[in-house]
Amino acid sequence: FCTLLVRINMAAQQPRLTGGALIRKKRDVMDDDDTDEKIEIAWKFIDNEVIDKMCEAIGNTNLDPLITVLDLTDNKLGPQGMQRLANTMETGFISDCVIRYNNIGKEGADSVSLVVEGSQTLTNLDLRGNKLDAAALKKLMKAVGDSEKLKLLGLGGNDCGAEGAVYISAALTRSPSITNVQLWKCGFGSEGAEHLSAVLAHNSSILTIDLWNNRFGPEGTGYLSKGLAHNNTLKRLSLGDNRITDAGLPDLCRALKGSRTLMDVDLRSNGFTPEGIIMLAKALKDHTSIQSIHLCSNTIGADGAEAIADSWKKNSALVDIDLWNTKLGSNGAKHIANLLSHNSHLMSLSLAGNNIDTSAASELAAAIPTATSFEFIDLVNNEINIEGAEALLSAVEKNPSVTSLSLHGNNISRVMQKKINSTLHERRVQAGIDREGK
């Protein structure tokens, strides 16, 4: 093993691969198992000699432990490089294959399909950012649909389009094992959403699906909502930046209201107005499973904030609310303070970038001491002065559950910021969240 490590690091000394290839313990990558090894090369050109060395390492059954993770990012690997690695992976022990931004093309994707078909160990496949179009997905998705071992599929940032959604839908509808699907920024549009609706309606293994930035619009959201209405397993759903607007909310609200498994919903940057937020707040008033909701970069305003406070003050499931950059203003923030004072289950609030002044900060401070579950509040980039910061720090000192107060970008001194950081760092050290001296 030592010889192998030295040889690959020697290859890293080439001008095109300075500091590039790493074989290291698989820690904090996919799980806590530190008995496996990882090959990782990021943002460095890979030539044929290095590919040969990687293939040698992947196929070497005498290594102890074996190479099980291959993580390559932006290396200009191309179709031929992918094919060479895939030939080795078919009989190797790779469990996590991460090939990102490497332009592997149809030929490379076809070779990966053979790995999916033949490998006895592959569970995580991440091919994000490879510009894969529908033709490149056809064979690969057939293999994915047939796999009984694959758990994670990452295709974000590819050129799938509506036609690609047909192949993806067919694969995921059949898949018995996939739990995590990353399909952000794939250019599906409303037509693609119509095909993907079947995945939500019929797949019973997927727990997480990320559909961020696919230009679904109200029509596409309607299709997805119909599928979601029949889903009984999904826990995390991201529909951020999809141009849903208020027009798409009636269908979505009905689907969300009926879900009993969803725990995390991301609806950021969808062009909602206060009227739409009022509709959404009412729909989730008595929801029993959604714990985290992200509404940042929508226009909530004071009216939307009032609806959120009125509707969610008795919701015992919600613990994390993200309202960053939602034009709350100080009046809106005061409504959120009212929510915090009445809902003892809230743990986290993000209110950054909302033009919150000191008077609103003081009302938030008044609510914090009795918020028994509260841990985190983000007030970055607002208009809070030293008086408001002092009120917040005093409130945090009275509530031992709070471990984070973010006030960067406000009208406070470095001395006050340092005092806040020091107070909460000591608390996090005592709680075992931070290590001493970090």
Side-chain angles (χ1 to χ4, degrees):
F1 166 68
C2 292
T3 302
L4 176 64
L5 178 60
V6 170
R7 287 177 63 191
I8 289 188
N9 280 341
M10 285 177 63
Q13 301 305 311
Q14 300 177 44
R16 292 176 294 179
L17 195 63
T18 304
L22 301 175
I23 297 184
R24 66 184 187 189
K25 289 289 184 183
K26 176 185 159 188
R27 292 174 179 162
D28 301 323
V29 180
M30 295 292 179
D31 54 42
D32 294 326
D33 182 1
D34 61 1
T35 64
D36 298 326
E37 296 293 324
K38 175 180 182 180
I39 295 178
E40 179 180 30
I41 307 176
W43 308 299
K44 303 294 180 182
F45 178 86
I46 294 175
D47 62 16
N48 289 332
E49 182 180 355
V50 176
I51 291 175
D52 287 341
K53 295 182 187 301
M54 287 192 292
C55 288
E56 178 186 345
I58 293 168
N60 190 340
T61 58
N62 294 319
L63 282 179
D64 184 18
L66 298 165
I67 303 298
T68 60
V69 178
L70 177 63
D71 188 342
L72 305 178
T73 301
D74 195 10
N75 316 110
K76 297 182 174 60
L77 189 62
Q80 291 184 341
M82 184 70 255
Q83 287 174 314
R84 293 177 62 193
L85 287 169
N87 289 338
T88 302
M89 284 193 288
E90 283 185 61
T91 55
F93 297 89
I94 295 295
S95 61
D96 304 297
C97 177
V98 181
I99 309 292
R100 296 173 290 200
Y101 304 102
N102 267 295
N103 296 329
I104 64 174
K106 181 181 183 302
E107 294 81 3
D110 286 350
S111 68
V112 173
S113 73
L114 298 177
V115 178
V116 176
E117 290 174 357
S119 173
Q120 298 300 306
T121 57
L122 186 66
T123 56
N124 297 325
L125 177 63
D126 186 349
L127 299 176
R128 75 185 78 169
N130 278 291
K131 299 181 180 179
L132 302 179
D133 59 13
L137 292 173
K138 187 174 182 179
K139 186 175 180 180
L140 176 61
M141 287 303 99
K142 184 180 184 305
V144 166
D146 291 337
S147 172
E148 296 182 355
K149 295 182 179 295
L150 208 59
K151 294 181 179 180
L152 181 148
L153 177 65
L155 291 174
N158 282 294
D159 302 328
C160 307
E163 185 180 354
V166 174
Y167 300 127
I168 293 169
S169 177
L172 296 180
T173 301
R174 292 188 296 117
S175 172
S177 59
I178 291 178
T179 60
N180 189 329
V181 182
Q182 303 295 311
L183 296 173
W184 44 267
K185 204 173 183 181
C186 288
F188 293 132
S190 60
E191 184 180 350
E194 186 173 9
H195 299 298
L196 294 172
S197 176
V199 177
L200 295 175
H202 301 297
N203 180 285
S204 59
S205 66
I206 295 174
L207 304 178
T208 299
I209 187 164
D210 187 346
L211 296 168
W212 172 78
N213 193 8
N214 275 293
R215 304 192 302 274
F216 292 136
E219 182 181 7
T221 303
Y223 292 130
L224 294 171
S225 298
K226 289 179 181 178
L228 184 60
H230 296 281
N231 187 287
N232 297 310
T233 53
L234 192 66
K235 293 183 181 298
R236 289 167 289 276
L237 172 65
S238 175
L239 287 173
D241 201 9
N242 269 297
R243 308 177 186 178
I244 295 174
T245 71
D246 291 357
L249 276 173
D251 289 334
L252 183 58
C253 284
R254 281 191 291 272
L256 292 176
K257 188 174 182 178
S259 172
R260 291 295 174 263
T261 60
L262 273 174
M263 299 172 63
D264 189 315
V265 179
D266 186 349
L267 296 173
R268 69 188 69 194
S269 304
N270 270 300
F272 300 147
T273 70
E275 289 73 22
I277 295 298
I278 292 170
M279 187 191 317
L280 179 64
K282 291 179 178 178
L284 301 184
K285 180 178 181 179
D286 300 314
H287 209 286
T288 58
S289 69
I290 294 179
Q291 299 177 5
S292 180
I293 187 159
H294 308 272
L295 294 172
C296 59
S297 297
N298 289 292
T299 302
I300 293 177
D303 290 343
E306 184 176 14
I308 285 173
D310 290 344
S311 297
W312 298 350
K313 64 175 58 176
K314 293 184 179 180
N315 185 307
S316 60
L318 273 171
V319 296
D320 176 20
I321 302 176
D322 180 3
L323 304 178
W324 173 81
N325 188 32
T326 52
K327 300 183 180 179
L328 294 179
S330 291
N331 288 335
K334 290 176 181 178
H335 289 304
I336 301 303
N338 183 37
L339 169 64
L340 182 59
S341 67
H342 286 86
N343 190 320
S344 61
H345 301 278
L346 282 177
M347 298 174 65
S348 173
L349 277 175
S350 178
L351 304 175
N354 274 297
N355 296 319
I356 297 171
D357 65 14
T358 294
S359 66
S362 298
E363 292 200 20
L364 286 165
I368 289 175
T370 56
T372 54
S373 301
F374 202 54
E375 297 179 358
F376 172 93
I377 184 165
D378 182 358
L379 289 164
V380 167
N381 294 334
N382 280 294
E383 298 173 0
I384 301 168
N385 64 20
I386 187 69
E387 180 183 344
E390 288 175 345
L392 287 163
L393 178 57
S394 176
V396 165
E397 289 174 334
K398 295 173 185 175
N399 186 338
S401 69
V402 179
T403 57
S404 181
L405 167 63
S406 299
L407 283 171
H408 299 287
N410 284 280
N411 301 318
I412 64 174
S413 66
R414 290 185 179 180
V415 173
M416 173 54 72
Q417 186 65 63
K418 187 174 181 180
K419 185 177 181 181
I420 292 169
N421 293 344
S422 176
T423 299
L424 293 178
H425 172 64
E426 291 176 7
R427 184 174 290 182
R428 289 192 295 270
V429 168
Q430 292 174 359
I433 300 171
D434 286 354
R435 289 181 295 173
E436 192 72 51
K438 294 294 183 182

